[in-house]
Amino acid sequence: MSIPRIAICQIAYMRELDKALTRAVECIRQAASRGAEIVVFPEWFLGLNPVEVIPNRFTDSLSIMARELGLMIITGSLRVLDNESIKKQQKGLVIDQDGTIVGTQAKIIFHPTERPWFEPGSGISVIHTRFGRLVILLGLDALDGDLWDNARSYQPDMVVMATSPRNVAERNQLQELAVSHSLDIQGTVVVSPLLGRFAGQNYIGGAVISHKGRLLSMAGEEPTLLLTEDPQAPLIQLGVTDVSYYIPLTPAPPGLACHARRAIEPEAEKKLLLDWGALLTHEPRLIGQQLLHVAQDNPRWLALAPGIAGQSHDLESLLEQGAAGTYLYPALHHHLPYDPEVLALTPIISRFKRPVVIHTGPGPMPLRWESPIFWDEFLQKIPDVPVIMVHAGTMPPFWDEVIMLATRYPQVYLETSLLSVELLQRTISLLGPNRLIFGSGGAESHFLDEWQKLESLKPLVSAVEWAELSGQRAKKLFFDALSPVSQNKLTVIRRQG
């Protein structure tokens, strides 16, 4: 069956009950105005509501909205008295479009501070709706492997995980779990998290809608109404690896546009992080360690180490700590690639054999420092190391020089960003698609612009070649090549200030 239009109300905890109810009604109306068929709330979306049997005045208000607007409402946990046992429980409700409560799910696993006050549910149940079989997993229930196996046995069409991450690492793990679970059930998995401070914990949001192994929509850390296939929401292109993702931890080099917001947008499934500004700081090694720290928080990210002429020891240290490769732009210091201090980096690069990302002009420096052809001697010294030339020279005559280098050195790949579609097509005709590799280009360009340009090449290549170009080639060079031992060796330092 097709996926319904789902809206997740990612809202902050609110203590005042009547205000929380009014806000919930406003969220439902907003969702209906945007075509939502299902509205999902997080745990505690009505604060610490009175413990009563259901239905009650609060659930009646939600039922009225469901009936008036013709949509289904799935609540996070409410404090209720079980109608039969009169035990205090936390329950999620499903209210159908006619206002009827068609099913409930009691929370099973509690935090230690909750256990004295609530009775756990007896198990997972499936709720039959007009959109198919539905399972709700509240709080810690969503993270328990045995409960997931139980839920999966019902062959649900949709699972709502009303659980709330407390930090970026938990959010990323939850995102991975939602994607894998949706693939597991060949259906839809929704994560509806809480924001703000509640019961002594801070929660950071990160609502997710995934379907059959694909992440359809994901929210950040702000209150939002996230919808299925929402054009206003950041999307992750699964299977895609971005080899030139710019994280602005430092001021950008002169003449380089900087889009700081890009540092938190999901976009490509896997990313190689770099910061060109780190090459101009007095402590590039510290920035490199910070990049490693940022990448540690996300299983889909790896960090590249800044490589600077005369600082081979710092590069060696960062590679030993787990950097997936290095990035070079000696023109920023008015060094040519064949300068002895730049060439002194090649023994370190050759020993680790991890890819090298090179900026190829024209950039902010005088053109005489930017010419790609000067990398010839450098490339001779690292014949076994993959080299990715960012922007592939951008335009003739630099593009011609990069093509000449790639023709001469089989380990050279051309990154696609900032090239025109015409030049990309000419590159394929001259070198074939196997020498191209996708990247968003760092700060100068936006992922979606580069991705749309890349998609225009689909008619020119086979399906296998397309998969290699858009992500598999970079995945093999970086993610598959870096050994688990080196990935676990990270000893990063958190940057102060």
Side-chain angles (χ1 to χ4, degrees):
M1 64 186 304
S2 60
I3 182 172
R5 189 156 174 80
I6 302 166
I8 302 176
C9 300
Q10 180 171 285
I11 49 182
Y13 172 74
M14 183 178 288
R15 188 179 183 87
E16 297 85 352
L17 178 59
D18 288 332
K19 290 183 179 179
L21 181 60
T22 299
R23 180 184 58 182
V25 169
E26 291 173 351
C27 287
I28 296 169
R29 289 194 182 279
Q30 184 183 356
S33 71
R34 295 179 62 182
E37 299 172 277
I38 300 175
V39 183
V40 185
F41 286 97
E43 287 198 286
W44 308 111
F45 73 105
L46 291 184
L48 296 177
N49 64 289
V51 182
E52 301 174 355
V53 296
I54 51 175
N56 54 52
R57 73 179 182 97
F58 306 106
T59 64
D60 285 347
S61 295
L62 299 177
S63 293
I64 290 171
M65 296 306 302
R67 186 166 56 249
E68 176 186 330
L69 300 172
L71 45 70
M72 190 168 80
I73 298 172
I74 304 173
T75 74
S77 57
L78 296 169
R79 303 197 307 174
V80 303
L81 287 176
D82 182 75
N83 296 55
E84 296 180 1
S85 65
I86 314 299
K87 293 179 179 179
K88 187 187 295 186
Q89 292 185 319
Q90 293 180 27
K91 284 188 176 182
L93 280 56
V94 179
I95 304 174
D96 209 350
Q97 62 179 346
D98 62 359
T100 303
I101 298 175
V102 295
T104 67
Q105 173 64 55
K107 188 174 179 180
I108 299 170
I109 303 175
F110 293 99
H111 289 283
T113 54
E114 296 176 300
R115 290 171 190 161
W117 309 102
F118 297 100
E119 292 289 335
S122 57
I124 298 296
S125 60
V126 65
I127 300 169
H128 296 276
T129 76
R130 60 192 175 107
F131 298 107
R133 297 177 299 276
L134 170 69
V135 169
I136 301 175
L137 299 173
L138 298 170
L140 296 177
D141 295 358
L143 307 177
D144 185 81
D146 291 336
L147 289 181
W148 170 252
D149 289 340
N150 190 3
R152 182 180 54 184
S153 69
Y154 288 107
Q155 299 181 315
D157 300 289
M158 179 176 172
V159 175
V160 173
M161 300 167 65
T163 188
S164 303
R166 296 165 296 178
N167 52 55
V168 172
E170 289 184 1
R171 185 180 65 191
N172 292 330
Q173 291 168 1
L174 189 58
Q175 172 186 317
E176 292 283 317
L177 199 61
V179 172
S180 64
H181 281 352
S182 70
L183 183 63
D184 195 9
I185 65 171
Q186 283 295 291
T188 305
V189 173
V190 173
V191 176
S192 55
L194 189 66
L195 281 175
R197 189 166 182 81
F198 172 70
Q201 294 285 345
N202 285 313
Y203 298 99
I204 65 170
V208 167
I209 303 172
S210 58
H211 182 67
K212 293 185 177 181
R214 180 168 180 256
L215 193 56
L216 300 183
S217 295
M218 176 181 171
E221 299 182 11
E222 300 295 327
T224 188
L225 185 70
L226 183 72
L227 275 82
T228 313
E229 300 284 14
D230 191 347
Q232 300 176 19
L235 300 179
I236 286 184
Q237 296 290 345
L238 296 184
V240 174
T241 299
D242 183 347
V243 298
S244 55
Y245 189 76
Y246 182 79
I247 295 281
L249 300 179
T250 62
L256 191 66
C258 181
H259 304 285
R261 178 171 171 75
R262 295 197 57 223
I264 62 172
E265 292 178 349
E267 300 174 336
E269 179 184 7
K270 297 185 183 295
K271 297 178 183 178
L272 280 302
L273 310 184
L274 53 82
D275 177 5
W276 295 114
L279 300 172
L280 292 175
T281 66
H282 296 296
E283 295 180 313
R285 181 178 175 182
L286 186 61
I287 304 304
Q289 289 172 323
Q290 180 67 2
L291 282 169
L292 288 172
H293 176 76
V294 172
Q296 265 190 311
D297 284 339
N298 195 317
R300 292 173 172 167
W301 293 356
L302 289 176
L304 300 177
I308 299 177
Q311 298 187 28
S312 57
H313 178 73
D314 286 346
L315 175 59
E316 181 179 32
S317 174
L318 290 170
L319 290 170
E320 286 177 343
Q321 293 179 58
T326 184
Y327 60 99
L328 304 174
Y329 195 177
L332 292 176
H333 295 99
H334 287 190
H335 282 288
L336 290 168
Y338 56 75
D339 285 352
E341 289 186 325
V342 179
L343 294 178
L345 299 175
T346 58
I348 304 298
I349 291 170
S350 293
R351 178 160 69 87
F352 284 90
K353 290 184 171 55
R354 295 181 195 162
V356 178
V357 174
I358 293 174
H359 186 281
T360 58
M365 296 296 108
L367 293 180
R368 63 192 177 97
W369 301 104
E370 299 269 12
S371 179
I373 203 67
F374 293 139
W375 286 98
D376 180 59
E377 186 175 353
F378 186 94
L379 294 171
Q380 286 182 14
K381 293 184 175 296
I382 53 170
D384 299 325
V385 178
V387 175
I388 298 168
M389 307 203 109
V390 174
H391 312 319
T394 305
M395 61 184 70
F398 283 8
W399 174 80
D400 302 276
E401 294 181 7
V402 171
I403 292 291
M404 186 182 301
L405 291 171
T407 302
R408 185 172 187 180
Y409 298 103
Q411 81 269 31
V412 169
Y413 298 89
L414 280 62
E415 188 255 12
T416 59
S417 69
L418 299 189
L419 285 184
S420 65
V421 173
E422 179 187 0
L423 280 182
L424 285 170
Q425 292 171 344
R426 288 177 62 190
T427 302
I428 290 175
S429 67
L430 289 170
L431 299 174
N434 294 333
R435 304 296 290 281
L436 283 176
I437 198 162
F438 174 72
S440 65
E444 297 100 329
S445 58
H446 191 274
F447 177 89
L448 289 179
D449 296 334
E450 294 297 334
W451 179 250
Q452 290 167 5
K453 184 174 64 179
L454 193 73
E455 285 192 312
S456 70
L457 303 179
K458 271 188 175 181
L460 304 180
V461 299
S462 69
V464 172
E465 290 170 335
W466 166 257
E468 289 287 323
L469 166 59
S470 61
Q472 290 304 307
R473 183 168 299 121
K475 179 176 177 290
K476 292 172 185 174
L477 289 176
F478 289 96
F479 286 85
D480 295 347
L482 193 63
S483 70
V485 173
S486 62
Q487 290 191 58
N488 292 333
K489 279 185 64 177
L490 302 184
T491 54
V492 297
I493 298 175
R494 187 179 294 274
R495 187 164 156 231
Q496 300 298 316

